[in-house]
Structure formats: C-alpha cells, structure tokens
Amino acid sequence: MTLEGRDTSGQAPGNGTISRARDYFAVPAPIKRIFDQFPLVTYSPNDLPQRGASNRTGNRLFVFTDAAGAKSHKPSFNPQCLKWQAYLRFVGIDFDIVPSNNHASPTGALPFLLPALPVNSNAPIPSSKLQKWAIEQVHCEEEQQLNLRFEVYASLLDHRIRNAWLYTLYLDNENFSAVARRLYVDPSTRNSLVRATLAVQLQQAARDELLKTSQYIDVSALEAEADDAFEALSTLLGSNEHFFERSSPGLFDASVFAYTHLILDKGMGWKRNRLAELLQKHENLVQHRERLLKYF
C-alpha cells in the first residue's frame, strides 16, 4: 500500500479490507473487559503533604533537612532552601521547618511555604513568590529597587559560584560519597538498587547542567570563576556589615550566606573543599557568614 492509501493495483481498498484491518487491530474481548475496569486517568498535581495540611497553627517552610535539623531550626543543607530560610528569618517572619523533598512539593521543587493565613487556604507559596509574600507581611524593602547592581551581582551566585558548587558536591567523587549521597540519596530509600539509580541520576543532572555552558567540564576554570566571584563579592561588601550598605540583612545577604555557610560548614563532611580555601581569602565574607549565623 502506498502513502496515498491505495493498494498495488491502484484501486482504493474496499469495505472488506477496512473491516479485516479493524478486526486485526481490535483488542480481544477478555482483555478489553479487564481494561474497562481500570480506565486511564490523568493525575492531578501532587497533593500537599498531610502533615502540612492539617493542624496548622503557623507558617510552615518545606525544605531539604532532617527531622533533627527541622526541630532545632538548623540551616538547610540545600543552598536554594537555605536562601529563603535565612531571608524569612532576616525580615522577622516566624515559621516552622518541615523536612521534605522535591517529589513531595506541589511545584516539583523546594522550598515552598504554607502560610498560616488565611486559615482555610492550602495554597502553597513557591520560592519565586516568597519575597513578594514576605514584603506583604512585614512591609520590608524590596531589595532590587534599592540598587540596580543587584541582578548583576546575583548572577555571580547563580552561575559562577553555583557551577563550582555543583561540581564540588556532585561530581567530585569523594565529596559525592561523603556528602551528597548521605544527604540526598540514602534518606530517600533503603533499597540499594534504587539508591544506586538515584546517585547516577543526581550526578548526571549536575553534569548536564554544567555542559549547558561549556563543551566539557574544566575543573580549573570552574574554580577560577568562583575565585573571581568571591573577590567581586568581597569588594562589594567592603567594610559594611551587610551588602548594599543595608542596616539589616536582606535577600542578597541571604543568597550569599546560602553558599558561604555551607562551604565553610564542617558539619557538611567535605572531603575536598577547594571552595573553602578560595573563600577564606576574604575575611569580610567569612565574618559576614558568622554574623548571619547568629540568626539561627
């Protein structure tokens, strides 16, 4: 049969041909009866974790952490989560910490917040809307409006420092085994096969992310770019206590702290920590981290 829907004789197939074709592709009756009992369905987005949706008396921030860390309000071991955990603390918003993971998030990513008010609302607030929500709660200043340089310096964190972080945590094999596997893989399951699969997926995701901007992963280049970023941040901070000469820490301080704290935190269990060596060259960044750690 040709692409025009005709047989080799050039004639259009008759009704008998169509009938035979339908019979050939028809689902056998016994199998059809089974599938009729289990119709295909389209699943809705993930529901909120039940422990977060009931008996809620305050704001709840869902982050990467463990039960002990949540109970003591310790900083999250994930930079994105820690950024918002720190920011909410800096602006004076009370909240409880709930251990979570991306699969439990309605948005597919952490962190997200369940606000205490309105009482009957279970609508989560994703990280992209947390600053707007915080400003509405406490009427704090919106940092981007204070200084046009905010986005420029934020790109240092989002690209140069983040890229070096991804390599250090996920692609340095010693660090991956000692840190990433312990924090992200092992708590998710006891099944060794699933753990092995998750480990491969995590490392491949980090590799794919780094290869978006380069044909190959050059460790020396990543560390050099992080070094330049730390120097630029140190110059920006100068002798001030907070970035952009703020009287109190803001979103950018939280963004920097999210990396500097975890890089310098010995509790992370780093085996090789070139980023800490680069960061410690800038005493004002180290002191900045120590000042902000007092909020926890």
Side-chain angles (χ1 to χ4, degrees):
M1 184 173 293
T2 66
L3 292 176
E4 289 76 23
R6 295 179 179 271
D7 61 20
T8 53
S9 66
Q11 300 297 319
N15 291 338
T17 303
I18 296 175
S19 177
R20 287 193 298 273
R22 287 176 177 171
D23 292 340
Y24 182 80
F25 288 105
V27 178
I31 296 178
K32 185 177 184 300
R33 284 195 295 270
I34 294 175
F35 278 95
D36 285 343
Q37 297 179 40
F38 303 98
L40 295 175
V41 296
T42 300
Y43 290 100
S44 59
N46 294 339
D47 291 329
L48 295 173
Q50 290 302 310
R51 65 180 182 275
S54 61
N55 300 322
R56 197 164 80 245
T57 58
N59 301 311
R60 291 193 172 190
L61 184 68
F62 290 71
V63 301
F64 282 108
T65 189
D66 55 25
K71 186 175 181 179
S72 59
H73 279 260
K74 288 178 59 178
S76 169
F77 51 76
N78 177 274
Q80 179 70 2
C81 291
L82 180 52
K83 169 184 173 179
W84 292 106
Q85 182 184 0
Y87 176 69
L88 294 179
R89 278 188 169 273
F90 295 165
V91 299
I93 293 178
D94 292 328
F95 59 93
D96 292 323
I97 291 293
V98 181
S100 190
N101 56 61
N102 287 335
H103 296 293
S105 169
T107 62
L110 294 180
F112 70 92
L113 182 135
L114 286 184
L117 298 173
V119 176
N120 295 327
S121 174
N122 285 328
I125 300 174
S127 60
S128 60
K129 298 181 179 180
L130 271 176
Q131 186 184 24
K132 180 178 182 295
W133 176 82
I135 291 171
E136 293 171 350
Q137 305 306 305
V138 297
H139 307 291
C140 54
E141 296 175 296
E142 187 171 359
E143 202 157 3
Q144 287 90 332
Q145 295 177 352
L146 298 178
N147 200 307
L148 296 177
R149 294 178 296 167
F150 181 95
E151 293 296 336
V152 175
Y153 283 97
S155 68
L156 296 177
L157 296 164
D158 296 338
H159 299 287
R160 295 191 176 192
I161 293 177
R162 178 174 180 268
N163 287 346
W165 168 269
L166 289 177
Y167 176 83
T168 300
L169 179 61
Y170 296 107
L171 300 183
D172 182 293
N173 289 328
E174 288 189 50
N175 283 334
F176 183 80
S177 296
V179 185
R181 186 184 294 274
R182 172 174 55 84
L183 296 177
Y184 292 101
V185 177
D186 292 350
S188 63
T189 179
R190 294 182 179 180
N191 186 295
S192 58
L193 181 60
V194 176
R195 283 181 173 180
T197 302
L198 289 175
V200 171
Q201 291 176 342
L202 274 178
Q203 291 190 300
Q204 188 59 50
R207 191 175 292 109
D208 291 343
E209 186 69 19
L210 293 178
L211 290 175
K212 287 180 179 180
T213 55
S214 178
Q215 293 182 341
Y216 63 94
I217 298 173
D218 186 335
V219 180
S220 297
L222 291 174
E223 292 176 350
E225 290 182 350
D227 192 17
D228 290 342
F230 287 139
E231 183 174 359
L233 291 172
S234 177
T235 301
L236 176 64
L237 179 62
S239 60
N240 298 308
E241 290 196 353
H242 308 117
F243 284 95
F244 301 110
E245 301 181 4
R246 289 177 57 102
S247 59
S248 60
L251 181 59
F252 194 81
D253 293 276
S255 301
V256 174
F257 175 77
Y259 283 105
T260 59
H261 170 66
L262 296 177
I263 289 171
L264 296 176
D265 184 13
K266 295 181 179 179
M268 290 286 287
W270 300 111
K271 294 299 182 181
R272 177 184 177 277
N273 199 348
R274 176 61 177 156
L275 291 181
E277 297 174 8
L278 299 175
L279 177 57
Q280 286 170 336
K281 296 192 301 183
H282 306 286
E283 185 62 28
N284 61 343
L285 293 181
V286 175
Q287 293 175 350
H288 176 266
R289 176 251 184 179
E290 292 173 352
R291 282 194 297 272
L292 298 187
L293 191 55
K294 295 177 181 179
Y295 283 82
F296 290 85

